[in-house]
């Protein structure tokens, strides 16, 4: 296989890698709290950047040493990812149950459309309800251009957990550390592009249900995403325990 073919395969495998169930589950839970396509797209890109950073760091070290990550360490990293998925899923369900999120759309005078998320939870503390509402109301109007740190951290964790299999493939396919790093970089670009597309695909039904005032359906989809993430994480824990 030629060098160009190896690099092209790396990019295409990166796109495919983004579609793995645990990756989709994690970004879906992160995207569920967003109320615009732009914000959701940023979640996917941040995941991809974090994923690529750790792949480059750990992958470069492994390529330089000529070894793959020990099986025990790789399994421990997978367990951390599983626990993270459970935590993300629980966080989504907690928002739905405690805040009773309601979504609506309105137009500003400048003809700019915004989706607002409001909490109708009947909590014991009025001040707590105000804090929740204020935080949710401010979220869609936050126009900062930095990457979401939470999604970045989740991507970095996935990058560490996926390094073992990636490096095993790279060691067999490439002949130098430099080529291996280029391969990993293209793999990361592919996974970032794939996750960005998936993020938009996740955002579309959430956006449409919010824009059409279908709050019950919006909450149903969000709850399903949270339940899927938690269930997948629990399944991964069971599989690791059996191994």
């Amino acid at each position: 296989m030629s060098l160009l073919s190896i690099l092209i395969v790396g990019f295409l495998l990166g796109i495919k890698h983004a579609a793995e169930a645990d990756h989709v589950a994690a970004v879906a839970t992160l995207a569920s709290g967003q109320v615009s396509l732009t914000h959701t797209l940023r979640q996917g890109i941040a995941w991809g950047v974090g994923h690529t950073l750790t792949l480059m760091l750990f992958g470069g070290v492994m390529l330089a040493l000529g070894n793959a990550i020990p099986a025990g360490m790789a399994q421990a990293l997978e367990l951390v990812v599983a626990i993270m998925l459970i935590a993300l899923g629980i966080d989504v369900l907690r928002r739905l149950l405690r805040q009773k999120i309601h979504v609506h759309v309105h137009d500003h005078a400048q003809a700019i459309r915004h989706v607002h998320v409001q909490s109708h939870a009947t909590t014991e503390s009025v001040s707590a309800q105000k804090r929740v509402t204020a935080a949710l109301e401010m979220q869609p109007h936050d126009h900062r251009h930095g990457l979401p740190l939470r999604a970045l951290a989740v991507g970095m964790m996935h990058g560490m957990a996926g390094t073992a299999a990636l490096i095993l493939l790279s060691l067999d396919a490439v002949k130098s550390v430099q080529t291996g790093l280029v391969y990993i970089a293209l793999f990361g670009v592919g996974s970032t592009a794939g996750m960005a597309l998936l993020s938009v695909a996740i955002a579309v039904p959430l956006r449409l249900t919010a824009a059409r005032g279908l709050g019950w359906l919006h909450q149903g989809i969000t709850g399903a995403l949270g339940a899927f993430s938690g269930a997948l994480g629990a399944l991964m824990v069971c599989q690791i325990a059996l191994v």
Side-chain angles (χ1 to χ4, degrees), residues 58-59 61-69 167-168 171:
F58 284 86
V61 171
M62 294 300 104
L63 283 172
L65 296 177
N67 294 312
I69 292 177
I167 300 309
L168 284 174
L171 287 172

Side-chain angles (χ1 to χ4, degrees), residues 91-102 117-123 128-129 132-133 135-136 219:
D91 182 60
V92 172
L93 297 176
R94 178 192 60 81
R95 280 199 327 243
L96 287 177
L97 293 175
R98 294 189 179 180
Q99 298 174 1
K100 293 185 176 66
I101 296 174
H102 167 68
V117 185
Q118 290 183 329
S119 172
H120 294 286
T122 56
T123 61
Q129 182 179 6
V132 171
T133 304
L136 291 169
Q219 293 180 28

Side-chain angles (χ1 to χ4, degrees), residues 72-156:
M73 181 181 295
Q75 197 171 67
L77 290 171
E78 290 289 346
L79 180 59
V80 173
V81 168
I83 295 172
M84 179 183 68
L85 289 176
I86 295 173
L88 289 171
I90 290 174
D91 182 60
V92 172
L93 297 176
R94 178 192 60 81
R95 280 199 327 243
L96 287 177
L97 293 175
R98 294 189 179 180
Q99 298 174 1
K100 293 185 176 66
I101 296 174
H102 167 68
V103 185
H104 70 274
V105 180
H106 76 267
D107 297 316
H108 288 285
Q110 295 84 1
I112 299 175
R113 246 188 163 195
H114 283 289
V115 178
H116 277 213
V117 185
Q118 290 183 329
S119 172
H120 294 286
T122 56
T123 61
E124 296 79 12
S125 171
V126 175
S127 60
Q129 182 179 6
K130 288 181 178 179
R131 286 197 301 271
V132 171
T133 304
L136 291 169
E137 287 285 353
M138 288 176 64
Q139 183 179 348
H141 296 285
D142 183 5
H143 298 294
R144 291 175 296 180
H145 299 288
L147 290 176
L149 295 180
R150 190 181 186 189
L152 187 70
V154 170
M156 292 177 71

Side-chain angles (χ1 to χ4, degrees), residues 5-29:
S5 298
I6 292 172
L7 297 179
I8 292 174
V9 167
F11 176 78
L12 296 177
L13 285 176
I15 296 176
K16 180 178 180 294
H17 183 67
E20 292 183 3
D22 58 326
H23 300 161
V24 175
V27 173
T29 56

Side-chain angles (χ1 to χ4, degrees), residues 164-220:
L166 174 63
I167 300 309
L168 284 174
L169 174 63
S170 299
L171 287 172
D172 292 336
V174 302
K175 304 301 180 183
S176 68
V177 174
Q178 292 80 6
T179 303
L181 290 175
V182 175
Y183 172 89
I184 295 172
L186 287 175
F187 184 95
V189 172
S191 62
T192 302
M195 189 53 72
L197 292 174
L198 282 172
S199 297
V200 172
I202 293 167
V204 168
L206 292 172
R207 177 70 178 177
L208 288 177
T209 53
R212 297 179 184 278
L214 301 174
W216 60 271
L217 183 55
H218 183 92
Q219 293 180 28

Side-chain angles (χ1 to χ4, degrees), residues 47-71:
W47 180 94
V49 170
H51 184 262
T52 304
L53 286 175
T54 49
L55 282 180
M56 291 292 291
L57 176 61
F58 284 86
V61 171
M62 294 300 104
L63 283 172
L65 296 177
N67 294 312
I69 292 177

